Amino acid sequence: MDEVHVVVAHSERTTLRVGDVFVKVDADPARLEVEAAAMALAPIPTPKLLWYQPPALAIARLPGRALGKLGEPSTASSAAWAAAGAVVRALHEAPLPPWEGPGRDALAAELETECALLVANGILPAELVERNRRIAERALRPYEPVFVHGDLQLSHVFVDGDAVTGVLDWSEAARGDAMFDLATLTLGHEEHFAAVLAGYGTEVDLDAIRAWWSLRSLCNVRWLAEHGFDPAEPGCEVDVLKARMKD
């Protein structure tokens, strides 16, 4: 029997790898339900669902490797980044899933709460938080909802050469803002932004994407710090926020 490797482990969920099988255990069964349903609906490559029995599901390993990792240079080709953009476009053109994502009011409330806590707890300087909060508010505009992945980190997109072999981790999938997926994919990797947009192949709202970079980072910094991750590592969320000071 292969060794068991811990891929991710914190108080909300744990992912284990045994050979070519990944088992995810989630404290919230609703997230697993969304993940299983979204993979069945998505018109793009996803991992094969081997079994699903809350509070766990098992998927098969995807071929290839992740497009990259936040805080590290990506070795994937420009063509692979463009292919990722094309896959995102295919998802956004698919029929909407039957469930809603977070509304603008909920996002606005979360942004306000997180900004206040970041300053009150001395996690980030007030000037950095306020500048990015003003930018982030631009994301809270009216938009036409599409089928979004909801957590499209580049580590969730697998490629083999210049082709996308699959997209992982669908627990946040819902109806949402297309610009959020594009912002999440390119967070901390703005040097690949042009390639992603070339693959996406249609006009985008650049101001909204920049706003989502700020909003996602502001809302994630505290959670990451509290769950054993370091958002202040080079190239990660804190650096993303600092870069917006130059905009």
Side-chain angles (χ1 to χ4, degrees):
M1 180 178 179
D2 292 289
E3 293 182 350
V4 176
H5 297 274
V6 178
V7 180
V8 175
H10 51 73
S11 60
E12 294 183 6
R13 66 183 67 89
T14 297
T15 301
L16 307 173
R17 177 179 178 179
V18 184
D20 288 340
V21 176
F22 290 80
V23 179
K24 177 183 285 188
V25 182
D26 200 307
D28 182 357
R31 284 194 293 254
L32 288 184
E33 183 178 354
V34 166
E35 184 155 4
M39 286 193 294
L41 292 173
I44 63 175
T46 65
K48 181 180 180 181
L49 180 60
L50 301 176
W51 53 262
Y52 166 48
Q53 185 174 343
L57 61 73
I59 59 173
R61 181 183 68 87
L62 284 170
R65 59 181 179 176
L67 190 61
K69 182 180 178 181
L70 186 62
E72 297 179 5
S74 170
T75 60
S77 66
S78 293
W81 280 88
V87 163
V88 177
R89 173 75 181 278
L91 176 65
H92 292 171
E93 291 182 335
L96 292 171
W99 60 91
E100 300 282 350
R104 282 188 290 161
D105 289 346
L107 289 169
E110 181 183 5
L111 176 63
E112 181 177 356
T113 297
E114 290 300 323
C115 287
L117 289 171
L118 289 172
V119 175
N121 295 338
I123 299 171
L124 292 176
E127 182 183 5
L128 180 65
V129 172
E130 178 58 23
R131 168 62 176 161
N132 278 275
R133 184 190 63 78
R134 291 198 302 268
I135 295 171
E137 287 175 345
R138 301 172 191 166
L140 304 176
R141 78 227 183 280
Y143 62 84
E144 187 69 29
V146 299
F147 190 164
V148 297
H149 177 276
D151 191 19
L152 198 64
Q153 303 175 49
L154 69 167
S155 60
H156 291 161
V157 179
F158 270 58
V159 296
D160 187 2
D162 297 338
V164 175
T165 59
V167 179
L168 296 168
D169 205 346
W170 290 81
S171 61
E172 305 298 326
R175 302 182 184 193
D177 183 1
M179 300 304 105
F180 177 59
D181 271 352
L182 291 172
T184 304
L185 180 61
T186 55
L187 185 79
H189 284 271
E190 295 179 42
E191 69 275 15
H192 298 292
F193 192 52
V196 169
L197 295 190
Y200 193 71
T202 190
E203 291 185 6
V204 300
D205 186 336
L206 295 177
D207 283 343
I209 291 173
R210 295 187 183 99
W212 277 116
W213 285 337
S214 290
L215 197 155
R216 181 180 173 92
S217 298
L218 287 170
C219 289
N220 280 3
V221 164
R222 188 173 62 89
W223 185 95
L224 290 167
E226 291 177 352
H227 287 79
F229 303 98
D230 186 1
E233 287 187 351
C236 293
E237 284 80 3
V238 175
D239 276 356
V240 171
L241 295 172
K242 289 179 179 178
R244 304 281 71 77
M245 301 294 284
K246 303 173 185 177
D247 288 351

